[in-house]
Amino acid sequence: MSYTVAVRALCEFTARAGDLDLRFTPAPSALEGMAGHATVRSRRHKDYETEISLAGEYQDLLVRGRADGFDPLAVQLEEIKTYRGRIEGVRDHPRALHWAQAKVYAHLLCQALGLEQLRVALVYFNIGTQEETVLVETHAASTLQAFFEDQCARFLAWARSEAAHRQARDAALTALRFPMDRFRAGQRELAVAVYRCASSGTGGRCLMAQAPTGIGKTLGTIFPMLKASPGQRLDKLFFLTAKGTGHGPALQALATLNQQAAGQAPCYPLRLLDVQAREKVCEHPDKACHGESCPLAQGFYDRLPAARAAALQQTQPWDALTVRAVALAHQVCPYYLAQELVRWSDVVVADYHYYYDSAAMLYALTQTQQWKVGVLVDEAHNLPERARRMYTAELSQFSLAEARKAAAGPIRKARDKLSRNWNALNKTQASSYQAYDDVPDALLGAVQRAVSAIAEAHTDRPMLPGDPVLTFYWDAQRFIALAEQLGSHALFDVSLMPARTGRRGTPASTLCIRNVIPAPHLAMRHAAARATVLFSGTLSPSNFYRDMLGVPDDTGWIEVDAPFQSGQLTVQVAGHISTRYRDRERSLLPIVDVVARQYEQQPGNYLCFFSSFDYLRRVAECMQRDHPALPIWLQTPSMDEDSRSAFLARFSEHGQGIGFAVLGGAFSEGVDLPGRRLIGAFVATLGLPQVNPVNEQMKRAMDRHFGGDKGYEYTYLYPGLRKVVQAAGRVIRTEQDRGVVFLIDDRYWRAEVRGLLPRWWGGGRRLAEGMQ
């Protein structure tokens, strides 16, 4: 087998050295870098050669690339790098990489021209001052050859090991059988659809799958995607979740499959990586991410090869505990070791944002490494709202003021100009909230100049997270990027904020590029994958999710019937109650009566959902006053993980009582309470988002973008009913469960509302009237 690698990729694997250093100094943009290269070349004589294509072999490895420049008169190869600030600001880690690239190119040039000796130069070009710093070393061709062969030997050892792993992995997956005795009802149908999507002849294929709880969606999607991997030459599978709690079922299903894969090839199980949030795995949250502060950042790249080798010897999944143990044994950061291990993994379980965000690590690696990937998106009904947040940017005038306090000189002047333009817009705004067709040119230009001033001023002074100047810089960069892409899928709006105590004059405001329709951003991510499967128990109406998710026109659709029978769930509508905001006060006692009466008739564990914490609290107070013996426990704002666990622990197999929770919160989805742990739910709301100026503008934007009157349905109705169905879905989790759901609001009798409820409820939507 032969291997081909680019010079840069070779050196990034073999030659990185020094500290992990996340201190921020503004770097030249891609355009500035190209302009800098052009400037350097323009200063050279007419015989100077540029963009020299070079290639060389070592055993069965082909290395190729383009050298920046060669001066035949000086017999000097030049590797050009652009930077800002002082040359001392180019740190050891990137400089070691630059020298390695230059030496590899130098060997390839010596080989091509038959040179016995060569001057090797790193040309550092300062974007700001236009000055060159040239670092020169003279090397014999034999020395360069030895360096080249050492790099290649280290790379080949890895490449051959990876090829052997890949061959054994694919053989094991080809022989892999479904790990259960039989498929559950609907599970085979789902698996076949996923396999066909993954096995299609072209990339960028998508499948939307609506599959209810109880059929084994996780295993029913992972198994066929892995089975298709050898035939489609997939490099990796990304399993993406909305919440950290979604990692567990995926890892459990993968562990089951991995045991069988290991049985086929004992030395080559699937490499499974669980990517956790940084705040969960950081060993030194009180320290900054650089070698002068954190001991696990110091010498990170020096110790990385040994840590990576130790991880590859592990036979268990690379979960948080395993990665931490390996990292600490080699004194490297667990979080960034996990990011490095992405390159060597077969399956990665991670949050949505690692692939779909504008700065997503998994997407960036897929592009740069040219991986063929399969993507599984769990609970995909959450992706539209999550993606909206990913592609929304806010700039606060208070943040600008904090940055100004910490700034001086040119930065403060640029801030003052921006503040004047900002205040001019505030003065013209008559209402507290207003949407505009475009970002005013003068305002956007002032933001851009402020960003440039920060970049120029901090080229020699790295900024650490928490610095108000850096916070504003990143917010402004994000705002500029999204402003330049502003279209019918987004809004530019301004919210005036109350003046702080003692302040007079023009009110401050928050500028916002507000994403309404994430489809244009997500479409690029779908196109980058070989196949994407988006699955959930609630992806109806399908046209709404197609429009929001940006899937291609030929996206497949499958709806798997629920394995449950209508007799398992009694659905009652308390149609004599209105939970509209204006009727809240009148609704309190009737809701208490419905809940208490059902509990008296059938004691057990129930969940009761409300639209807000205030509504929840008021009903709870009435319940405690009128029925003090009835046990209740309440969800509270900002519950930590221990508090959430304690809340759920109350739902024991033999327990009794009612948990009060907020619809759309932590307990309305992703919670599994089978059997007697939960026998019923009350949903005292239609779940519709609040009618406010922001949502009304989003509704109008939907109308303009899609035409017709889809705005109300897309902004209010569909998102609201999806939360209701998810919450009610906590009751029936297995084919043995029995339970009751009370839908408390007169609007549940409307045809457009009932049409969005699951088909199997009440025998094809034959709902009992309940309390009258």
Side-chain angles (χ1 to χ4, degrees), residues 190-504:
L190 173 63
V192 168
V194 173
Y195 184 84
R196 287 174 176 169
C197 174
S199 301
S200 63
T202 58
R205 290 298 303 274
C206 290
L207 170 69
M208 293 172 58
Q210 180 166 279
T213 296
I215 72 158
K217 293 191 293 288
T218 304
L219 190 57
T221 53
I222 293 175
F223 171 72
M225 188 69 83
L226 289 175
K227 282 292 291 182
S229 293
Q232 296 302 308
R233 302 186 63 79
L234 294 186
D235 297 299
K236 308 204 180 287
L237 167 60
F238 299 153
F239 189 98
L240 307 177
T241 72
K243 300 176 181 177
T245 52
H247 290 214
L251 292 171
Q252 184 177 358
L254 285 161
T256 301
L257 290 167
N258 206 23
Q259 288 173 2
Q260 195 181 125
Q264 299 293 332
C267 296
Y268 299 100
L270 288 168
R271 295 173 181 165
L272 315 178
L273 175 64
D274 180 20
V275 177
Q276 293 285 326
R278 181 174 170 177
E279 57 269 18
K280 287 188 175 182
V281 297
C282 179
E283 291 290 319
H284 298 287
D286 59 322
K287 294 179 173 60
C289 292
H290 60 85
E292 296 173 17
S293 177
C294 179
L296 299 182
Q298 187 176 38
F300 176 88
Y301 290 106
D302 300 326
R303 294 189 289 272
L304 176 61
R308 181 174 58 217
L312 293 176
Q313 295 301 314
Q314 300 290 320
T315 56
Q316 65 262 43
W318 293 335
D319 58 16
L321 291 177
T322 300
V323 173
R324 180 177 186 268
V326 171
L328 296 186
H330 293 82
Q331 284 297 289
V332 296
C333 172
Y335 179 71
Y336 286 100
L337 175 60
Q339 295 209 354
E340 291 291 334
L341 290 176
V342 168
R343 293 169 171 83
W344 326 119
S345 63
D346 299 312
V347 184
V348 179
V349 179
D351 186 89
Y352 289 164
H353 75 267
Y354 283 99
Y355 187 75
Y356 285 109
D357 191 74
S358 58
M361 172 188 66
L362 295 180
Y363 174 72
L365 285 171
T366 298
Q367 294 292 88
T368 58
Q369 303 296 321
Q370 298 183 324
W371 289 335
K372 291 181 180 179
V373 300
V375 178
L376 297 176
V377 184
D378 186 27
E379 301 294 355
H381 61 271
N382 287 303
L383 185 55
E385 187 58 38
R386 283 288 306 278
R388 278 179 179 163
R389 295 201 293 271
M390 293 175 197
Y391 293 97
T392 292
E394 290 187 340
L395 264 186
S396 164
Q397 216 160 357
F398 292 148
S399 175
L400 173 65
E402 292 300 317
R404 186 181 183 278
K405 291 178 185 177
I411 297 181
R412 179 167 289 195
K413 290 180 181 178
R415 291 291 201 288
D416 291 342
K417 290 179 181 178
L418 171 56
S419 187
R420 287 193 291 272
N421 279 279
W422 202 328
N423 286 332
L425 178 63
N426 293 344
K427 289 177 181 178
T428 66
Q429 186 164 310
S431 58
S432 61
Y433 173 86
Q434 186 171 330
Y436 297 82
D437 293 334
D438 297 292
V439 183
D441 290 339
L443 177 62
L444 184 58
V447 175
Q448 291 168 331
R449 286 189 291 275
V451 165
S452 297
I454 295 172
E456 290 297 327
H458 284 272
T459 52
D460 300 324
R461 291 185 292 118
M463 292 181 285
L464 293 171
D467 186 324
V469 176
L470 181 58
T471 299
F472 181 81
Y473 178 86
W474 285 125
D475 289 346
Q477 283 275 51
R478 186 175 178 81
F479 181 88
I480 292 167
L482 291 174
E484 291 172 347
Q485 303 172 53
L486 187 63
S488 62
H489 63 281
L491 298 169
F492 168 59
D493 57 44
V494 180
S495 300
L496 298 180
M497 298 180 286
R500 292 181 174 177
T501 304
R503 300 283 181 88
R504 293 185 179 181

Side-chain angles (χ1 to χ4, degrees), residues 43 173 181 209 271 395 438 462 513 521 564 597 673 681 732:
R43 295 172 176 175
L173 291 180
D181 293 337
R271 295 173 181 165
L395 264 186
D438 297 292
I513 304 295
H521 301 289
F564 312 128
R597 188 178 302 184
L673 300 169
I732 303 299

Side-chain angles (χ1 to χ4, degrees), residues 96 107 115 126 157 172 253 259 340 538 564 617 643 678:
H107 162 72
L115 302 174
N126 189 311
Q259 288 173 2
E340 291 291 334
T538 49
F564 312 128
R617 177 186 55 79
S643 299
L678 185 70

Side-chain angles (χ1 to χ4, degrees), residues 63-139:
V63 181
R64 60 190 183 190
R66 290 178 179 271
D68 289 332
F70 174 58
D71 184 342
L73 302 183
V75 194
Q76 177 169 298
L77 178 132
E78 296 187 340
E79 179 72 6
I80 304 169
K81 302 296 180 183
T82 57
Y83 73 102
R84 291 180 182 275
R86 296 181 300 161
I87 188 63
E88 292 80 8
V90 180
R91 297 172 193 142
D92 292 342
H93 166 225
R95 192 173 293 194
L97 185 60
H98 299 161
W99 272 120
Q101 289 177 255
K103 289 178 181 179
V104 170
Y105 281 126
H107 162 72
L108 296 177
L109 188 66
C110 284
Q111 189 179 58
L113 300 182
L115 302 174
E116 295 183 359
Q117 182 175 285
L118 182 65
R119 287 163 56 90
V120 183
L122 281 182
V123 180
Y124 285 105
F125 179 77
N126 189 311
I127 292 294
T129 65
Q130 304 285 292
E131 294 177 348
E132 295 179 31
T133 299
V134 183
L135 309 178
V136 181
E137 295 179 354
T138 301
H139 291 282

